[in-house]
């Protein structure tokens, strides 16, 4: 939706930047094309389309994920359209899946940030940009973490990494904000970590790094974490 609208024959990248975003129908069509195409990283099946009837038993949640993907695309499309109507498209540069190196002790962790929204340069700010930008107010850089649902009440390690990534980029000239975005509703909320939570997460992060270096990947189920874990359905501890 954001990065490859030009792959559709009726929409070019220039049209998307200069005028309206692709229609919702075009965006959903692009999603379906990507959904039915084999992953580019898998060289053995790269040239073969996914056949719905083949190995359907191996993908019991395929239809659910597909419908969920449609909802996310629709929400992203409406959000992008509203931002353009309010002049926010010209006031910000939005980057997706950017890589940031975070020092952890004597080592570094690579974090892929879902979205970074930066103030546009003066030459890219048009007359319809928000008034605060035209008046010279400092517009913060926003680090945004996408979630498939509502954020947990308790921050996790990824939340800590987002805070660390933002902090190393912040400065007197560039204020930084960190938030979490519900992809299905578009709602955002500030990412907050209390001092005691941060201390606990930092200890947990160092322990995790040490475990990785020892090749220790023993699952440690915890009630308040398992429901939001991406490996919930394949966890060997269940």
């Amino acid at each position: 939706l954001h990065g490859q609208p030009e792959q559709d024959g009726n929409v070019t990248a220039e049209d998307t930047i200069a005028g309206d975003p692709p229609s919702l129908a075009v965006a959903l069509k692009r999603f379906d094309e990507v959904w039915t195409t084999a992953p580019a990283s898998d060289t053995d099946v790269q040239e073969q389309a996914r056949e719905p009837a083949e190995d359907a038993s191996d993908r019991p949640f395929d239809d659910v994920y597909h419908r969920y993907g449609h909802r996310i695309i629709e929400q992203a499309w409406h959000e992008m359209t509203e931002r353009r109507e309010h002049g926010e498209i010209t006031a910000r540069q939005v980057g997706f899946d950017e890589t940031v190196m975070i020092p952890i002790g004597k080592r570094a962790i690579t974090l892929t940030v879902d979205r970074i929204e930066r103030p546009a340069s003066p030459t890219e700010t048009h007359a319809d940009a928000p008034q605060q930008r035209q008046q010279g107010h400092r517009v913060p850089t926003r680090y945004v973490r996408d979630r498939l649902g509502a954020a947990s009440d308790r921050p996790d390690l990824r939340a800590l990494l987002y805070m660390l990534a933002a902090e190393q980029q912040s400065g007197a000239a560039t204020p930084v904000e960190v938030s979490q975005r519900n992809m299905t509703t578009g709602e955002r909320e500030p990412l907050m970590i209390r001092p005691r939570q941060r201390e606990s997460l930092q200890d947990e992060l160092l322990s995790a790094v040490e475990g990785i270096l020892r090749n220790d990947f023993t699952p440690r189920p915890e009630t308040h974490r398992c429901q939001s874990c991406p490996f919930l359905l394949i966890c060997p501890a269940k």
Side-chain angles (χ1 to χ4, degrees), residues 23-196:
S23 67
L24 179 57
V26 170
L28 292 173
K29 176 183 176 183
R30 176 59 186 151
F31 171 79
D32 289 337
E33 289 174 351
V34 174
W35 180 266
T36 57
T37 302
S41 59
D42 191 340
T43 56
D44 293 332
V45 297
Q46 184 173 353
E47 298 178 356
Q48 299 178 1
R50 180 191 298 171
E51 299 180 5
E54 183 180 359
D55 296 329
S57 60
D58 294 336
R59 301 190 306 274
F61 301 103
D62 219 40
D63 290 341
V64 175
Y65 291 149
H66 186 246
R67 291 196 301 270
Y68 206 66
H70 267 233
R71 289 176 56 189
I72 291 173
I73 289 295
E74 290 176 7
Q75 172 57 41
W77 185 86
H78 287 298
E79 178 185 352
M80 189 168 65
T81 302
E82 291 174 2
R83 289 177 60 224
R84 182 176 293 275
E85 291 176 352
H86 290 83
E88 295 182 22
I89 291 292
T90 57
R92 287 190 173 275
Q93 296 174 331
V94 182
F96 299 92
D97 297 331
E98 294 192 20
T99 300
V100 178
M101 297 296 295
I102 305 173
I104 305 294
K106 296 182 180 180
R107 302 183 180 276
I109 290 180
T110 301
L111 173 69
T112 300
V113 180
D114 295 326
R115 179 190 301 217
I116 302 180
E117 301 174 351
R118 299 181 177 88
S121 63
T123 58
E124 296 174 323
T125 304
H126 300 279
D128 59 348
Q131 185 177 3
Q132 64 174 4
R133 178 63 179 170
Q134 294 181 13
Q135 294 176 344
H137 294 178
R138 293 185 303 171
V139 179
T141 295
R142 297 173 181 166
Y143 282 65
V144 183
R145 177 186 181 185
D146 287 333
R147 305 293 295 260
L148 291 178
S152 172
D153 293 335
R154 183 182 185 278
D156 57 8
L157 285 180
R158 193 165 184 83
L160 174 64
L161 292 175
Y162 266 73
M163 294 293 292
L164 294 174
E167 288 172 0
Q168 73 178 15
Q169 298 295 323
S170 65
T174 309
V176 176
E177 297 177 354
V178 185
S179 61
Q180 300 184 104
R181 173 178 171 271
N182 187 328
M183 296 177 68
T184 55
T185 65
E187 295 179 353
R188 296 192 187 192
E189 60 182 32
L191 196 161
M192 307 293 292
I193 302 179
R194 296 192 297 270
R196 292 188 64 180

Side-chain angles (χ1 to χ4, degrees), residues 154-155 193-203:
R154 183 182 185 278
I193 302 179
R194 296 192 297 270
R196 292 188 64 180
Q197 290 177 326
R198 179 166 181 146
E199 182 179 352
S200 175
L201 287 170
Q202 286 176 327
D203 291 341

